[in-house]
Amino acid sequence: MIKHIIFDCFGTLIDTGNNSIKAVEQILFNVGANVDAKEFYEDWKANKRQKMNTSVFLNEKALFEVSLAETFTKYGITADASKEIKPMIRSLFADRFVFSDVHEALAKLAEKNVDFAIGSITDTEPLLYYLELNQLSFSHIYTSEDMQVYKPNIKFYDTILQRSGWLAEECLFVGDSYIDDVLGPQKIGMKTVLLDRKALYKSTELTPQPDFVIHSLLELLKVI
């Protein structure tokens, strides 16, 4: 029986929009680089992702800076990442709002007497900022910065269980990332929901499969 729902935040509850791309465009403009912003951003994200599970934990803000410096080098850009990172850091506190189905879904799920939690690979301050901005209230909030570990490291999910006192088999992890929100939680025995808002998921491509696939948070009512 599902008693607890753990939600990813960005891309699941809160729409990240195009603030990151805008920040990259500003950075590239500032350093005078004639580079495709989307391509640069994908390389930057990939570099950042590689560093998430190194032996020394870095919070997201620090990861952005370190990986920007290496991405500059890859593109032959001679600039000080510690100075040029500012547009991206500002974007972490830009206006980002919940998807249209979020408040209604959470209100209806609350009627089913389940606990809610946030489990997000982010720094704590920006997460709290966006929860307040969007009038979202969660009694259980877990961030990578607070727990000193990133998804999909099994320690991320295990720490949530240890701190909450919940049992894995009573938890449902909901998110938009197969690796972070399906593969990771399943390793510790949680049921999983892949939120596929853009209908990009192809069931034959992934092993193991998510326990459930939905296209709107309102569909979660059928799962509980």
Side-chain angles (χ1 to χ4, degrees), residues 24 27-28 35-45 68 71-72 75 77:
V24 171
I27 290 170
L28 293 174
V35 175
D36 182 80
K38 290 183 179 179
E39 178 183 341
F40 184 93
Y41 182 52
E42 289 304 316
D43 284 340
W44 186 3
K45 282 199 304 181
L68 177 61
T71 309
F72 273 167
Y75 282 82
I77 299 171

Side-chain angles (χ1 to χ4, degrees), residues 3-7 114-119 138-142 157-173 188 190:
K3 296 182 179 180
H4 321 288
I5 304 176
I6 305 167
F7 291 97
V114 293
D115 296 314
F116 295 155
I118 291 279
F138 287 83
S139 55
H140 302 273
I141 297 173
Y142 306 99
Y157 317 98
D158 189 45
T159 301
I160 290 177
L161 295 178
Q162 289 178 17
R163 292 189 181 184
S164 64
W166 298 343
L167 299 176
E169 59 268 26
E170 295 177 342
C171 294
L172 186 68
F173 207 103
I188 204 169
M190 294 182 184

Side-chain angles (χ1 to χ4, degrees), residues 20-29 37 40-41 44 88:
S20 294
I21 289 294
K22 288 182 177 179
V24 171
E25 290 174 343
Q26 184 62 56
I27 290 170
L28 293 174
F29 174 81
F40 184 93
Y41 182 52
W44 186 3
M88 182 59 76

